[in-house]
Amino acid sequence: MNSTVATAKRLLGSILTTRINREVVSGRIVETEAYLPRNDPACHAAKGRTKRNEDMFLPEGYSYVYLIYGMYHCFNVVTEKEGVGAAVLIRAVEPIKGLLTMVERRGTEKNLCNGPGRLCEAFGISKQHSGLRLNSGVISIKYIETVKKIITTTRIGINQGKNLPLRFYEKGNPFVSKY
DNA sequence: GGTGGGATTAGCT
DNA sequence: GCTAATCCCACCA
């Protein structure tokens, strides 16, 4: 098992916290996807380093945030050494703290964080938060526990590399995304 | 319950 | 001009 897959599984159950615009929001990660440095056509780094994906080539423990479909952001954790280009996409979290802030930012009380675009909106994450070192003030991820019941499936919403079993979520958790 | 289209932008070809 | 790791709402059953 390579370290990106190991990280994707280890992040399940960890606590994600952001301090953005003086608001503290946190949640428990329940769904992730791995994007591998080699033999993975869906990984942004697969076609080499560009201005868009350069933060993916930072060392492990940095954030990589990008804009998708013109309107939504996706939050990733870089997982390999500097220059390699691999990450774990955080797809869903279970809200813990700052529920009011999430509702305010999302404009609804439903589906606060069960999807990569939704959780970025709820947590206040946007492109300016790409390339930050985690646990240095703005975005923090704290390891708490190892989730035992992990379901592995293929990834969602991609066109290449669909058949690779690189999506992980906690069995039975209602905050996992639906797609 | 399920399906289909529109929103909206950066970067590559 | 087209695509991209998405989401929401309208519509139909």
Side-chain angles (χ1 to χ4, degrees), chain A residues 8 10 37 55 88 109 128 134 149 151:
Chain A
R10 188 166 45 82
D55 287 339
V88 170
E109 295 184 11
Q128 58 185 305
L134 300 178
K149 295 185 176 176
I151 306 291

Side-chain angles (χ1 to χ4, degrees), chain A residues 4-5 7-9 11-12 29 31-36 40 42 66 75-77 79 87-92 116 153-158 164-169 177 179:
Chain A
T4 296
V5 169
T7 302
K9 292 184 178 177
L11 283 174
L12 291 177
I29 298 171
E31 180 179 355
T32 60
E33 282 181 3
Y35 287 85
L36 306 182
D40 184 2
Y66 66 93
F75 170 62
N76 300 252
V77 177
T79 52
V88 170
L89 169 69
I90 310 300
R91 283 196 59 88
T153 67
T154 54
R155 291 173 296 184
I156 290 176
I158 57 174
L164 299 173
L166 295 173
R167 172 177 176 242
F168 311 98
Y169 64 91
S177 75
Y179 300 96

Side-chain angles (χ1 to χ4, degrees), chain A residues 123-135:
Chain A
F123 278 71
I125 298 172
S126 63
K127 199 159 188 197
Q128 58 185 305
H129 305 111
S130 190
L132 300 178
R133 192 158 54 83
L134 300 178
N135 302 315

Side-chain angles (χ1 to χ4, degrees), chain A residues 16-167:
Chain A
L16 170 69
T17 303
T18 62
R19 290 179 188 78
I20 292 168
N21 291 333
R22 308 166 64 95
E23 303 279 358
V24 176
V25 173
S26 68
R28 182 171 172 274
I29 298 171
V30 297
E31 180 179 355
T32 60
E33 282 181 3
Y35 287 85
L36 306 182
R38 283 178 296 280
N39 304 319
D40 184 2
C43 179
H44 286 175
K47 290 175 187 168
R49 188 170 185 155
T50 66
K51 196 167 186 180
R52 183 196 193 205
N53 68 20
E54 61 182 357
D55 287 339
M56 204 182 220
F57 292 85
L58 290 168
E60 59 212 288
Y62 275 79
S63 63
Y64 167 49
V65 182
Y66 66 93
L67 186 66
I68 191 66
Y69 298 114
M71 31 186 354
Y72 294 103
H73 296 276
C74 289
F75 170 62
N76 300 252
V77 177
V78 179
T79 52
E80 303 280 348
K81 292 188 172 71
E82 179 166 18
V84 175
V88 170
L89 169 69
I90 310 300
R91 283 196 59 88
V93 310
E94 177 180 342
I96 294 180
K97 239 184 348 195
L99 275 289
L100 243 56
T101 302
M102 294 187 193
V103 171
E104 237 170 69
R105 285 173 175 161
R106 293 273 297 117
T108 172
E109 295 184 11
K110 293 190 171 182
N111 297 327
L112 288 177
C113 307
N114 59 338
R118 293 177 181 133
L119 82 86
C120 279
E121 190 172 31
F123 278 71
I125 298 172
S126 63
K127 199 159 188 197
Q128 58 185 305
H129 305 111
S130 190
L132 300 178
R133 192 158 54 83
L134 300 178
N135 302 315
S136 64
V138 182
I139 304 174
S140 301
I141 295 182
K142 188 177 174 64
Y143 174 80
I144 300 267
E145 58 174 328
T146 299
V147 170
K148 294 195 179 68
K149 295 185 176 176
I150 297 177
I151 306 291
T152 302
T153 67
T154 54
R155 291 173 296 184
I156 290 176
I158 57 174
N159 292 304
Q160 295 168 298
K162 300 183 163 172
N163 45 356
L164 299 173
L166 295 173
R167 172 177 176 242

